[in-house]
Amino acid sequence: MGMGMMPAEDILSLRNDSACSFNCSYSKDDKYRTTDYNLLLGNYIDPIFGSVNVDIYAPIYFDNPAIDKTNGYEITSVELLLIDSSFQYGNKLPQTISLYEINDKIDTSYYTDLEWHPSETFITTLTMDTIYNDTTKYSFTGKYLDMFKDFIKDDSLYNITMDPVDLNAAFYKKFRGLHLIPDSSNGSCIVKLKDIQILIKANVYDADGSSKEVNQYLYVSTFVDKEDFVYFHPLVSFNLTHSQSIIDSIGKENQGKIYLQPMKGLKAQVKMNDIDRWLDSQKVVINSAKLKLPIEIDSRYPAISKIELILDDETIYTSQQLQ
């Protein structure tokens, strides 16, 4: 009633349910790197992609200076801490990790160049226990222990009143960061670390000669970028034995199928082009929308329990439990 009197722009038409088609594709790169703050480390044997190795480039930064040197101090130890979480993928077997010092200055190619291979110096090999919520520790010795001691000893480089930006800019000239590489010969599992830290323990003396233990932490977590010094995110690098040929064969665009690899080693993309077409042709009000993803059962993998959808701007849209 009264339709003839209503302005045309206020008229809504009712249509039946409409299905939206999908274009499914994969990242064209056979080596995927992510700066998402998921510190994945280790390797496992995937039934489709073969050996999957995940290593971490980890720039290390001081927290606020904590050691007051006014009345004297003594560095007692410097430890690397690999702090495990409750998430693992694969068998719970120990991982052998090779630890390297990054020698080259990190710049934008650190994120953009898939073949960024810096000059490195081997430090040690350590065994990372894959026990839930465990912490693997390594005590620095020799020249690396001396490097930390000499840095803190120099008042022009480290003092209790320094701004963290100035402190880290000075430290970065001494130490670029760490590269953690799993031994691919013992493929077992991939571990999600809560954090990677360096803990410097020191006895700090008061004016009366008494002392207390003080902990100075360094983290891989990032700070606000500054004009005079840039803090770089940790970077996770995936290597797949059977990669591009398999991606090309199972992930052709417009086939409507896509392979979801849970460790973020393969970047899967789903595009809904019909939405753009609807918006270009008319004004649209969507009352409700449902995304249906039929799961093709594969006996080589356990059933999917959870799937996460990420918008292009990397904000989490929804997390839906699938039975």
Side-chain angles (χ1 to χ4, degrees):
M1 179 179 292
M3 288 290 288
M5 300 176 62
M6 293 182 63
E9 60 269 18
D10 291 339
I11 298 177
L12 300 177
S13 59
L14 178 64
R15 297 191 177 188
N16 295 328
D17 293 348
S18 178
C20 180
S21 62
F22 291 84
N23 286 332
C24 301
S25 62
Y26 296 94
S27 169
K28 300 302 181 184
D29 302 314
D30 62 1
K31 185 174 182 181
Y32 179 53
R33 292 179 165 187
T34 177
T35 56
D36 293 344
Y37 203 69
N38 286 324
L39 295 174
L40 304 177
L41 181 65
N43 65 85
Y44 78 104
I45 304 300
D46 188 278
I48 289 182
F49 290 99
S51 177
V52 179
N53 295 280
V54 190
D55 55 292
I56 299 175
Y57 294 94
I60 302 290
Y61 304 110
F62 273 90
D63 193 9
N64 291 313
I67 300 174
D68 188 346
K69 302 183 292 181
T70 304
N71 298 303
Y73 73 100
E74 178 187 10
I75 301 294
T76 57
S77 66
V78 180
E79 292 181 323
L80 172 68
L81 308 180
L82 305 182
I83 304 174
D84 192 7
S85 71
S86 59
F87 178 83
Q88 297 176 8
Y89 188 82
N91 300 319
K92 298 178 183 178
L93 297 176
Q95 287 277 355
T96 301
I97 305 297
S98 294
L99 186 65
Y100 291 83
E101 176 192 0
I102 300 173
N103 297 325
D104 294 347
K105 183 178 180 180
I106 299 174
D107 55 27
T108 55
S109 63
Y110 169 74
Y111 297 120
T112 58
D113 186 357
L114 295 177
E115 298 302 323
W116 186 77
H117 298 294
S119 169
E120 299 177 332
T121 300
F122 176 75
I123 299 176
T124 190
T125 298
L126 55 94
T127 299
M128 181 175 68
D129 294 327
T130 53
I131 302 173
Y132 289 147
N133 296 310
D134 191 24
T135 297
T136 300
K137 298 181 180 180
Y138 167 73
S139 295
F140 288 97
T141 59
K143 71 173 187 178
Y144 290 100
L145 177 60
D146 292 339
M147 183 271 294
F148 282 101
K149 286 183 175 181
D150 291 342
F151 180 82
I152 291 179
K153 181 180 179 181
D154 192 330
D155 290 336
S156 66
L157 302 178
Y158 181 101
N159 64 73
I160 195 68
T161 62
M162 284 189 73
D163 184 283
V165 173
D166 297 329
L167 173 62
N168 284 305
F171 180 68
Y172 184 70
K173 295 177 181 179
K174 302 286 185 180
F175 192 77
R176 309 293 190 190
L178 296 170
H179 187 192
L180 292 81
I181 306 175
D183 181 359
S184 59
S185 65
N186 66 342
S188 55
C189 74
I190 292 178
V191 174
K192 179 180 178 181
L193 300 175
K194 284 183 179 178
D195 206 352
I196 299 172
Q197 302 174 359
I198 291 179
L199 170 59
I200 301 174
K201 293 184 178 181
N203 290 327
V204 175
Y205 296 96
D206 294 327
D208 60 3
S210 62
S211 67
K212 61 180 178 181
E213 186 175 81
V214 173
N215 293 332
Q216 171 70 74
Y217 284 96
L218 293 84
Y219 299 100
V220 299
S221 53
T222 56
F223 296 75
V224 177
D225 291 352
K226 301 289 185 178
E227 291 183 2
D228 53 347
F229 182 71
V230 177
Y231 292 89
F232 288 92
H233 295 262
L235 184 146
V236 178
S237 178
F238 286 82
N239 293 273
L240 313 176
T241 301
H242 310 301
S243 52
Q244 195 63 50
S245 59
I246 296 177
I247 292 173
D248 290 341
S249 64
I250 68 173
K252 294 293 185 181
E253 192 165 323
N254 297 320
Q255 281 189 345
K257 288 185 178 182
I258 198 163
Y259 179 85
L260 299 178
Q261 202 267 2
M263 302 308 299
K264 284 197 161 193
L266 182 64
K267 189 175 183 180
Q269 298 172 328
V270 178
K271 295 182 179 180
M272 295 175 283
N273 296 329
D274 285 348
I275 293 180
D276 291 334
R277 177 175 56 80
W278 293 342
L279 296 176
D280 290 341
S281 61
Q282 58 194 305
K283 294 182 179 180
V284 176
V285 175
I286 299 176
N287 181 49
S288 66
K290 294 182 179 179
L291 176 63
K292 296 183 178 180
L293 296 176
I295 305 299
E296 190 171 296
I297 302 300
D298 190 323
S299 60
R300 294 170 293 183
Y301 291 95
I304 294 176
S305 60
K306 182 180 180 181
I307 188 169
E308 216 171 50
L309 303 179
I310 310 297
L311 294 178
D312 286 342
D313 62 0
E314 297 184 355
T315 57
I316 295 179
Y317 176 64
T318 185
S319 179
Q320 176 67 44
Q321 295 290 333
L322 301 178
Q323 301 299 326

